[in-house]
Amino acid sequence: MVCELCAVAKKEVESELLYEDNEIMAVVHLKPAIPGQIIVFPKHHYPIFEQVPDKIIAKMFKIANKLGIALFESLNCHGTNLLINNGVAAGQTMAHFSLNLIPRKEKDGLKLQWEPKKASEEELQTAFLMINEKSKELHPDLFGREEKNEELVEERGRPKEIKLDKKKENYLLKSLKRLP
Amino acid sequence: MPEEEYSEEERKAFEEKIKRMSPEELKEFQKRNCVFCQIIIGQIPAKKVYEDDHCLAVLEINPAAPGHILLLPKEHHAIMPQIPEEEIGHLFMAAKHLSHALLRGLKCGGINLFVANGAVAGQKFQHFVIHLIPRKESDGIKLELPQREIPEDILSKINEVVQNRFNELMGIKKELVKVETKEHAEKKKEAADEEESEKKKEETEKTDPQEEENEDEKSEESEEEKDGSISLDDIASVLNGGR
């Protein structure tokens, strides 16, 4: 199985290239929800968001921001969306991490929305506790220490690799590997 | 925020007041009226899942699904283009780690990261927000992108206009030249030359007025291509008419 985006990155297929450097690429999406949709992705094959190094994430979004402005000004759209589908349940269709930039206009026929639900205090508190516990376990540097804010700002400069527990990550990657 | 009704006079006075405000005063005014700025300074309570000097993440109280996180910059910005580059890098690095924690903590099937710039795009708040939404199969949340077939020439034109503007913004000096068109025009000329020489061999008198016609057509066509046969209006109509 050849990864579509890897093929684009290696120039094995043609693309409408907008931006390229050593680490990332941005192309006009060839089967867009709205014409003008741009896809930004790392050249290296990272299946999911969490595996992409911080440095590359920072660059991807800075470029995405500029592309968003370019979209807004050159296509005269009224707004833009930035969307990441991380995981099959979230609508991920390619097993290669990417972000989508979509130009929006009134009545363009695209529905990106949800019904806000009334969550009970219990539900919120449960979610809150689970997130807090897990975040401290996964990233004690970032989530565990409230006093060390100044250090955090400096640490930003260093690219952080996430060491995923292989047992735990399998279920998500497994579902991705099942993608056509 | 509660909706208050002002009389005509009060509203006018209000508008005048805003016009006369300095940028700093305007910023203060925005902050006082922004729910999220209030949360940031602790005036309104919220469940905080992450905080540092630059950003704050809280649980959305009317979520798409429980665990829905709102990640926001501490500085009041309305939309992403207004946010300084450094902040962008930091915000999305935090978003990644939060997404990770959300995924593992709630054991959900996926996470959507969603940003809306502009009301048309679904922006609900005046303060810039990154939505991190936990997803499960068949949860009814519509954050998938359909795929449409769009003619190649429209996509090429889009590439050209967006790239030109993007290069300007990035300070990249690269003029996007229609290489295809030049080559195309050159090839056409070569082919036409070949035809001409062949025709000259066969008929000398009759081809002269024809050649002139051909040449005129050629120059017209190459001009058209220089201007761009796909106009922005065409793209606009595709953007508008598409369903």
Side-chain angles (χ1 to χ4, degrees):
Chain A
M1 268 297 357
V2 181
C3 167
E4 273 180 66
L5 292 180
C6 284
V8 173
K10 293 176 192 162
K11 312 283 172 86
E12 288 164 8
V13 294
E14 280 189 35
S15 65
E16 292 288 349
L17 181 64
L18 276 163
Y19 173 81
E20 180 182 15
D21 63 27
N22 286 337
E23 288 159 326
I24 69 170
M25 226 171 162
V27 301
V28 177
H29 202 296
L30 298 179
K31 290 199 178 161
I34 305 270
Q37 180 180 334
I38 295 172
I39 181 165
V40 185
F41 57 97
K43 284 183 166 177
H44 186 90
H45 185 96
Y46 298 106
I48 52 176
F49 194 10
E50 291 71 29
Q51 291 174 320
V52 186
D54 284 0
K55 196 179 100 178
I56 295 186
I57 291 287
K59 193 197 283 198
M60 274 179 72
F61 284 93
K62 288 178 192 178
I63 295 291
N65 194 26
K66 287 256 157 51
L67 282 167
I69 299 170
L71 264 183
F72 188 77
E73 294 177 359
S74 59
L75 296 187
N76 293 323
C77 52
H78 304 148
T80 56
N81 283 119
L82 196 154
L83 178 62
I84 293 178
N85 303 88
N86 194 41
V88 178
Q92 184 166 3
T93 52
M94 295 181 286
H96 185 128
F97 174 72
S98 64
L99 73 87
N100 287 286
L101 260 174
I102 306 128
R104 299 299 305 275
K105 259 188 170 167
E106 237 180 274
K107 297 182 188 169
D108 55 14
L110 182 62
K111 287 206 167 99
L112 290 175
Q113 63 195 26
W114 58 85
E115 270 302 310
K117 299 189 179 105
K118 288 259 173 203
S120 67
E121 178 58 32
E122 270 175 7
E123 285 177 308
L124 288 176
Q125 189 62 15
T126 311
F128 178 65
L129 291 170
M130 285 162 82
I131 295 168
N132 275 340
E133 193 188 307
K134 201 43 92 166
S135 55
K136 288 188 179 107
E137 182 191 312
L138 292 171
H139 312 289
D141 293 346
L142 212 55
F143 291 94
R145 302 165 198 179
E146 278 129 27
E147 328 83 65
K148 296 201 174 181
N149 282 334
E150 283 167 17
E151 282 183 38
L152 281 173
V153 175
E154 281 169 44
E155 273 181 25
R156 249 199 291 144
R158 270 190 287 117
K160 277 185 187 169
E161 292 284 341
I162 298 220
K163 285 168 192 166
L164 287 175
D165 182 349
K166 290 206 169 165
K167 282 183 195 168
K168 287 180 186 171
E169 99 194 36
N170 275 342
Y171 80 92
L172 197 62
L173 291 178
K174 268 186 191 168
S175 58
L176 283 174
K177 283 170 189 165
R178 275 190 245 119
L179 286 171
Chain B
M1 278 198 303
E3 275 185 36
E4 294 170 36
E5 286 178 15
Y6 293 102
S7 68
E8 192 63 36
E9 286 174 16
E10 283 176 324
R11 218 169 351 108
K12 279 187 180 166
F14 197 60
E15 279 173 25
E16 282 301 306
K17 194 178 171 193
I18 294 182
K19 281 179 194 166
R20 277 185 270 118
M21 279 187 186
S22 68
E24 293 83 30
E25 285 176 323
L26 210 55
K27 254 195 164 179
E28 273 309 303
F29 177 75
Q30 273 178 330
K31 277 189 178 171
R32 263 183 280 126
N33 286 287
C34 170
V35 178
F36 292 104
C37 288
Q38 296 288 300
I39 291 175
I40 287 164
I41 60 176
Q43 291 275 36
I44 296 179
K47 294 199 187 323
K48 299 181 178 179
V49 289
Y50 175 70
E51 184 171 10
D52 66 23
D53 281 348
H54 301 263
C55 61
L56 173 66
V58 298
L59 282 192
E60 158 72 279
I61 53 174
N62 296 312
H68 179 164
I69 292 175
L70 302 175
L71 172 60
L72 31 120
K74 283 190 166 175
E75 271 296 310
H76 183 99
H77 300 287
I79 52 172
M80 203 160 144
Q82 292 173 333
I83 305 179
E85 268 206 356
E86 277 296 292
E87 297 264 339
I88 298 263
H90 182 81
L91 263 173
F92 286 94
M93 182 272 297
K96 184 187 93 173
H97 294 288
L98 279 164
S99 164
H100 193 200
L102 200 50
L103 198 61
R104 305 293 164 211
L106 298 189
K107 299 190 172 71
C108 49
I111 304 283
N112 281 122
L113 184 154
F114 178 75
V115 165
N117 294 309
V120 159
Q123 182 169 2
K124 295 182 187 175
F125 312 115
Q126 284 177 14
H127 194 117
F128 177 78
V129 141
I130 298 169
H131 294 266
L132 290 164
I133 302 170
R135 296 295 308 276
K136 269 190 308 201
E137 302 269 336
S138 317
D139 54 13
I141 295 170
K142 297 182 181 63
L143 288 173
E144 279 80 41
L145 293 169
Q147 295 195 332
R148 284 166 55 187
E149 294 290 335
I150 302 290
E152 224 179 271
D153 44 12
I154 292 209
L155 295 175
S156 293
K157 182 66 180 178
I158 288 173
N159 186 359
E160 189 194 323
V161 298
V162 177
Q163 201 180 146
N164 279 333
R165 185 67 193 119
F166 174 69
N167 289 340
E168 279 173 27
L169 290 168
M170 295 282 286
I172 298 172
K173 284 179 186 166
K174 185 171 93 175
E175 217 185 280
L176 211 66
V177 174
K178 279 194 159 183
V179 176
E180 279 178 343
T181 316
K182 271 190 179 174
E183 282 178 2
H184 188 57
E186 277 171 343
K187 279 181 190 169
K188 277 179 92 175
K189 212 193 165 194
E190 276 176 25
D193 286 342
E194 277 179 27
E195 273 184 46
E196 274 178 47
S197 55
E198 277 179 26
K199 281 180 184 173
K200 274 180 182 170
K201 285 174 194 170
E202 290 169 6
E203 296 168 286
T204 45
E205 293 167 22
K206 288 178 190 176
T207 53
D208 287 331
Q210 276 181 18
E211 277 169 23
E212 281 178 34
E213 267 183 55
N214 285 340
E215 276 178 21
D216 284 340
E217 277 177 33
K218 257 189 279 163
S219 56
E220 270 178 41
E221 276 180 41
S222 56
E223 265 184 44
E224 258 181 40
E225 281 161 7
K226 278 179 202 162
D227 289 334
S229 46
I230 310 289
S231 69
L232 285 178
D233 288 335
D234 292 336
I235 298 175
S237 64
V238 176
L239 284 174
N240 278 327
R243 290 264 177 272

